[in-house]
Amino acid sequence: MANSASGIAVHDECKLTFLELKARRNHRYVIFKLDDGLDKVVVDKIGGQGESYEDFCKCLPDDDCRYAVFDYDFTTDENCHKSKIFFFAWSPDVAKVRTKMLYASSKDRFKRELDGIQVELQATDPSEMSWDILKARAL
């Protein structure tokens, strides 16, 4: 179903891959992009459980927008193991204006399709999604 604000649809593979990350914990992260026709969100890259946050950050393009989810595992001060699913809206300053507008206008609708997002981060630069920021937002 197309997004009423932007006309962007969400491919079923996006929802299924997210469910694999959330329920089965098969993936560390999933990166999504608009397809070449700019009319549908599709899966761009899937990161295996053994991949790190650094690996995830390296997969985000320097000059184009992306949506992404990252499964962050951590241990609290009370020695309790937890996990939080982060949603990232990656929109670098050097991306095309039209692309940034399409991603921005489709973000909320796309995020609603991914039931179970716990924390959202919007970033235009890698410094806005550093490891320290991720840890602080998880608590």
Side-chain angles (χ1 to χ4, degrees), residues 42-55:
V42 296
V43 172
D44 183 31
K45 179 167 179 19
I46 298 171
Q49 265 300 9
E51 295 196 45
S52 68
Y53 186 65
E54 187 176 321
D55 297 329

Side-chain angles (χ1 to χ4, degrees), residues 12 49 63 73:
D12 286 341
Q49 265 300 9
D63 59 353
D73 294 323

Side-chain angles (χ1 to χ4, degrees), residues 15-75:
K15 294 179 254 185
L16 294 173
T17 306
F18 175 75
L19 283 174
E20 289 174 357
L21 177 141
K22 180 178 118 176
R24 295 191 196 139
R25 316 226 5 159
N26 290 355
H27 316 302
R28 175 63 58 204
Y29 61 85
V30 183
I31 298 174
F32 306 95
K33 69 175 185 173
L34 294 179
D35 66 357
D36 293 336
L38 299 178
D39 60 358
K40 187 185 305 178
V41 180
V42 296
V43 172
D44 183 31
K45 179 167 179 19
I46 298 171
Q49 265 300 9
E51 295 196 45
S52 68
Y53 186 65
E54 187 176 321
D55 297 329
F56 163 72
C57 291
K58 287 179 184 175
C59 291
L60 296 172
D62 294 332
D63 59 353
D64 202 2
C65 301
R66 292 291 186 273
Y67 300 125
V69 290
F70 184 84
D71 185 9
Y72 175 55
D73 294 323
F74 61 101
T75 304

Side-chain angles (χ1 to χ4, degrees), residues 46-114:
I46 298 171
Q49 265 300 9
E51 295 196 45
S52 68
Y53 186 65
E54 187 176 321
D55 297 329
F56 163 72
C57 291
K58 287 179 184 175
C59 291
L60 296 172
D62 294 332
D63 59 353
D64 202 2
C65 301
R66 292 291 186 273
Y67 300 125
V69 290
F70 184 84
D71 185 9
Y72 175 55
D73 294 323
F74 61 101
T75 304
T76 66
D77 292 338
E78 295 82 33
N79 205 28
C80 183
H81 297 288
K82 291 194 172 192
S83 176
K84 291 226 175 159
I85 298 175
F86 278 74
F87 178 86
F88 290 87
W90 173 248
S91 185
D93 289 331
V94 295
K96 294 178 183 172
V97 172
R98 180 170 187 262
T99 304
K100 289 195 281 191
M101 289 174 59
L102 280 171
Y103 273 85
S105 63
S106 303
K107 178 184 65 120
D108 288 336
R109 163 71 163 66
F110 177 62
K111 201 171 91 173
R112 278 196 303 272
E113 294 285 334
L114 308 179

